[in-house]
Amino acid sequence: MCRWLAYSGTPVSLETILYKPEHSLIDQSLHSRMGVETTNGDGFGVGWYTDTVDTPAVVRETGPAWNNRNLKEIAGHVRSPLFFAHIRASTGTAIQQTNSHPFRHGRWMWMHNGAIADFHLLRRDLCMEIDPVLFDSMEGSTDSEVMFLLALTHGLDQDPPGAVARMAGRVEQLGRERGIEFPLQMTIAVTNGSRTWAFRYSSEHASRSLFLSSDVDTLRKLHPDVAFLQEVSEETRLVVSEPLGSLPGAWREMPESTYAVVQPGRDELLSFAPQPV
């Protein structure tokens, strides 16, 4: 499986979030505490938005994040108000650049932790349901990219929660037709550059871990001596596979079968269920 984080709020250097926390994503690449695997070294990726370009920049590699000099160099010089970062532990597909996350299409970015069970049995049929206009943009061989393109096919541009629900519903329907008891395991982050949606769901209702940061105003009251909290806006949020540190009150675990909307103003936490197609 994998570990990931999604940041939005006051522009910060990628280094501030990727490297500096006590249990940073780089530390998790070697010492994950809540993942299926302790080590996540089968590739990594970062994607970020700027004020001058509508589409996000994406950098992806095949090796481990913990010793990549280029990632360290980029992280110290790039600042962004919204970025994704992902470290990969392959569930069976090849370790190659096009299989590293996040995936991008137009202004959208997508990353995933989990798996479609017995993906090799479902891959052909799922790929055949991708909109032909989108099919040529497929570069890799992962279930994660297929899920992204299916969500785009089912209306991600117009209705992100509904599109992800329809994608999940189709995966479960097809999997169960093939005798797969629990077809889907997923935590997903998807963004259009202004809002981020984060989903936690699995067919067996035992999903991989996912956490939201507490609101900044509350944390400032709890920890008035933490400089970072004084420097960022109240809109600043993180969604993470596992907490980046042990600061009391900083993290809230997302409940099973829910999704969060991180957006300007009040965030939302809503129930999630696959929808039949």
Side-chain angles (χ1 to χ4, degrees):
M1 300 294 175
C2 312
R3 304 280 84 185
W4 58 256
L5 68 80
Y7 172 89
S8 61
T10 298
V12 296
S13 70
L14 274 60
E15 181 182 51
T16 300
I17 306 300
L18 289 182
Y19 286 89
K20 292 185 177 180
E22 169 193 347
H23 187 46
S24 69
L25 199 66
I26 302 303
D27 182 61
Q28 291 176 37
S29 67
L30 279 167
H31 307 296
S32 173
R33 299 168 185 168
M34 297 181 176
V36 175
E37 297 87 5
T38 301
T39 304
N40 297 270
D42 295 334
F44 68 85
V46 291
W48 66 92
Y49 293 83
T50 67
D51 293 334
T52 57
V53 182
D54 289 337
T55 57
V58 173
V59 173
R60 301 184 291 175
E61 294 290 348
T62 58
W66 63 77
N67 66 354
N68 190 281
R69 295 180 65 183
N70 288 331
L71 177 60
K72 181 67 173 177
E73 182 73 14
I74 290 169
H77 290 80
V78 170
R79 293 177 64 85
S80 176
L82 197 163
F83 64 86
F84 280 6
H86 186 281
I87 50 176
R88 184 173 183 239
S90 172
T91 55
T93 49
I95 299 170
Q96 61 192 46
Q97 191 178 63
T98 53
N99 283 347
S100 293
H101 308 219
F103 300 98
R104 173 182 62 191
H105 183 82
R107 70 181 187 276
W108 292 95
M109 276 200 302
W110 172 284
M111 58 186 176
H112 167 233
N113 173 36
I116 296 176
D118 291 319
F119 178 55
H120 64 287
L121 300 178
L122 308 181
R123 182 183 177 192
R124 180 184 181 279
D125 287 340
L126 290 174
C127 286
M128 292 296 290
E129 297 186 12
I130 294 170
D131 188 323
V133 174
L134 298 167
F135 189 85
D136 286 345
S137 66
M138 186 186 300
E139 296 184 321
S141 57
T142 66
D143 52 357
S144 303
E145 186 178 18
V146 169
M147 291 164 69
F148 180 32
L149 294 174
L150 282 171
L152 286 163
T153 297
H154 287 297
L156 189 66
D157 271 320
Q158 294 78 37
D159 176 17
V164 174
R166 289 185 286 274
M167 175 277 293
R170 185 61 185 129
V171 170
E172 287 198 325
Q173 179 186 16
L174 187 60
R176 287 171 177 149
E177 288 173 1
R178 301 290 193 277
I180 301 168
E181 184 178 7
F182 302 121
L184 185 59
Q185 173 73 244
M186 69 180 210
T187 66
I188 287 169
V190 59
T191 184
N192 59 7
S194 58
R195 292 182 177 182
T196 298
W197 294 262
F199 299 83
R200 185 180 185 219
Y201 175 78
S202 65
S203 304
E204 58 187 318
H205 304 295
S207 301
R208 303 293 178 244
S209 57
L210 196 61
F211 293 81
L212 297 168
S213 63
S214 299
D215 68 89
V216 171
D217 187 52
T218 297
L219 288 174
R220 284 175 182 157
K221 294 174 183 176
L222 289 172
H223 307 284
D225 56 335
V226 176
F228 176 76
L229 296 174
Q230 308 306 319
E231 296 166 0
V232 297
S233 72
E234 294 182 6
E235 297 285 351
T236 298
R237 293 288 185 276
L238 278 156
V239 188
V240 297
S241 294
E242 57 188 80
L244 303 185
S246 55
L247 193 68
W251 304 100
R252 300 169 292 149
E253 185 170 14
M254 279 184 58
E256 179 69 40
S257 301
T258 60
Y259 74 95
V261 188
V262 179
Q263 59 191 347
R266 187 173 181 176
D267 298 337
E268 296 181 289
L269 184 64
L270 303 163
S271 62
F272 177 83
Q275 295 179 10
V277 177

